[in-house]
Amino acid sequence: MDKTDAKAAMEELTMILIYLSDLQNRFANKDDKYAWKGYDFNVLNELDGKDYIRQGSHRSKSLYITKEGEEKAKELLEKYNVADRKALHMFEVK
């Protein structure tokens, strides 16, 4: 496997973490994907610029994962050989 440069790795791994840690079942529409904004702001700005996420207001503490972002995250899970937690049901909110 070829090495990934650090900037690309930060973006890719952040996208994976955002996807895996989405705030399931906390919003009216269960298909919407949100996550906390607790990541490097420069990386979040890059992901927002690529339309993988939407940050909303600068005061917002959560971000929205777009359909493009969800697809990209699933590609990255494959690339890094990470199981999708949704398939495992190990973090389901009851």
Side-chain angles (χ1 to χ4, degrees):
M1 183 169 163
D2 292 336
K3 286 196 176 205
T4 304
D5 72 79
K7 183 178 186 281
M10 284 181 65
E11 286 182 22
E12 291 178 352
L13 296 171
T14 299
M15 192 66 227
I16 289 172
L17 290 170
I18 288 169
Y19 176 76
L20 290 175
S21 63
D22 79 79
L23 303 168
Q24 294 178 322
N25 302 320
R26 296 196 187 191
F27 297 93
N29 187 346
K30 304 291 186 229
D31 293 331
D32 285 346
K33 307 267 186 271
Y34 289 86
W36 296 120
K37 269 186 172 175
Y39 302 97
D40 183 283
F41 289 125
N42 292 322
V43 173
L44 292 178
N45 291 338
E46 290 290 327
L47 296 174
D48 195 328
K50 293 178 180 179
D51 200 36
Y52 294 149
I53 64 170
R54 300 235 174 86
Q55 299 182 72
S57 142
H58 71 280
R59 294 176 189 243
S60 174
K61 293 182 180 170
S62 63
L63 55 85
Y64 175 76
I65 305 167
T66 65
K67 292 294 181 197
E68 293 83 4
E70 189 174 356
E71 292 302 314
K72 182 64 175 179
K74 289 177 181 179
E75 287 175 23
L76 294 170
L77 290 175
E78 286 291 320
K79 176 181 177 178
Y80 288 97
N81 198 27
V82 176
D84 189 333
R85 78 165 195 184
K86 282 122 182 96
L88 300 175
H89 304 290
M90 50 192 281
F91 297 109
E92 258 183 33
V93 176
K94 302 225 181 213

